[in-house]
Amino acid sequence: MQSRGSEWHQWDLHFHTQSSYDYKAKTATNADIIAEMKKNGISVFAITDHHVIDIERLNDLQSLGKSEGITVLPGIEFLSDARGKEPIHFIGIFPENCDINNVWGQLQYKTDLHKIESEQLKHNEVYCDLIDTMRLVKSLGGITTIHAGDKSGSVENITHSLPHNSAQKTDIAQEVDIYELGKESDQDGYRKFVFPHINRTIPMIICSDNHHIGHYKRKQKMWIKGTPNFAGLKYALNEPESRFYIGDEPPVIARVRENRTKY
């Protein structure tokens, strides 16, 4: 009998809700979100609103998702004013059963997110220190992803024109858990050039970055092999090449489908 840990599921680890300042469908309901994710075969998704964790919405989405067999992970998207052409986007994702009130409180207290209230700044006017915030996320039991490759707000926007910028990219690579790519073909360059250079293979994913549930789409499906929860995600990090797959369906599923057709 196949265990849940050996099954492939579709995941989306970058997903916005009505709580993001730039969401395009403010009248959408949480039920609309869960219905669309179920329609698209998503087993797990992370809420990654810009510089905010809306605890009330999270709790409602988790309750609605549970009734449909969908795991909803709490998360948050940060901006970092790293030395590059544009701010770097990175994400913190936490266990579905974490003490989210404590997590959100710590993130506000220990980063510049507190300036949103104390200085009345807009959500996109605040920048969080990249390395310090990633380490804070991990200390709170979470994992981090970062935009990479040909994607807006990517770590690749840090130039190599100065030695310290090259070193900065290496430091980031040692801290981050997952690279979120802009397109499927970006994988080739990372496998050929980046991973040998940093002596580490990092899982690569593609997500929807959805801002309008009425127009949900992904550039490509993203699969993770493991139990459809945060523990399964953490375990999969140990096997980045065999438990993460970008494409229509993992080869093993395609083979099973082919064999069933034959017989």
Side-chain angles (χ1 to χ4, degrees), residues 154-173:
S154 166
V155 67
E156 297 307 327
N157 287 317
I158 300 175
T159 72
H160 284 295
S161 58
L162 295 173
H164 71 267
N165 286 337
S166 179
Q168 184 182 32
K169 289 173 73 170
T170 301
D171 290 343
I172 293 168

Side-chain angles (χ1 to χ4, degrees), residues 92-108:
I93 299 172
F94 301 92
E96 64 273 14
N97 55 358
C98 70
D99 182 347
I100 195 60
N101 289 285
N102 177 63
V103 167
W104 177 223
Q106 291 293 307
L107 291 175
Q108 289 177 291

Side-chain angles (χ1 to χ4, degrees), residues 9-39:
H9 301 272
Q10 290 190 60
W11 297 53
D12 188 346
L13 296 177
H14 186 173
F15 181 91
H16 293 271
T17 75
Q18 306 90 308
S19 300
S20 278
Y21 72 90
D22 57 350
Y23 198 74
K24 302 296 191 294
K26 293 292 188 180
T27 59
T29 67
N30 294 337
D32 292 335
I33 289 175
I34 296 300
E36 188 65 20
M37 301 308 267
K38 183 177 178 63
K39 174 184 172 182

